[in-house]
Amino acid sequence: MSLVQPAVSDMLVTVKSREVQRAMLAEMGDRAEEAKQHLLAAGHLELVLASDYELAGDDALARRSRISAASCFWRAGERERAQTIFDSLAHAEPQQASEIQQVISDLQQDRSAS
């Protein structure tokens, strides 16, 4: 018997969301290293989700997951990696460049506020 597997795993979405939540709780508790680990995990999961969304033909969700992945990497201190993803998105979809720049500006402001 063949099982039909969904294009995007609900479990993967749930695990990613939990990693983001755990990162936020660690940040609020001043546990920077723990927050970093969870942000990196969430970032990697978002990249997997982006690929799955792309394979399923949902380009908007794929883009959103890539933006989220880059944001996670940025917040985890991996700004070069994040910038590479942002640059790739802006290059692939020039009409979205202002949205991407706004995300980067927000991340920079969050960093300077903390």
Side-chain angles (χ1 to χ4, degrees):
M1 172 179 8
S2 168
L3 294 176
V4 177
Q5 204 160 10
V8 179
S9 167
D10 290 337
M11 182 181 290
L12 187 58
V13 173
T14 301
V15 171
K16 182 271 306 180
S17 296
R18 288 186 180 156
E19 286 301 315
V20 170
Q21 289 173 341
R22 292 176 76 185
M24 291 171 61
L25 289 171
E27 285 176 335
M28 288 187 281
D30 248 359
R31 297 184 310 274
E33 194 57 37
E34 183 181 338
K36 179 180 178 176
Q37 290 174 341
H38 293 296
L39 286 166
L40 291 174
H44 287 288
L45 291 168
E46 284 286 20
L47 291 177
V48 173
L49 284 169
S51 294
D52 288 351
Y53 287 131
E54 202 167 63
L55 288 173
D58 196 332
D59 294 336
L61 285 178
R63 185 179 82 254
R64 187 186 77 178
S65 283
R66 284 191 177 87
I67 290 171
S68 181
S71 298
C72 288
F73 292 134
W74 184 286
R75 291 176 52 209
E78 294 197 5
R79 285 177 186 71
E80 284 184 31
R81 184 174 196 176
Q83 192 63 56
T84 300
I85 295 169
F86 286 134
D87 291 346
S88 174
L89 285 165
H91 180 73
E93 298 183 62
Q95 70 278 14
Q96 300 296 328
S98 63
E99 174 190 350
I100 293 164
Q101 187 54 50
Q102 183 60 51
V103 172
I104 294 169
S105 294
D106 291 347
L107 289 165
Q108 289 170 333
Q109 285 179 349
D110 284 350
R111 187 66 182 166
S112 63
S114 49

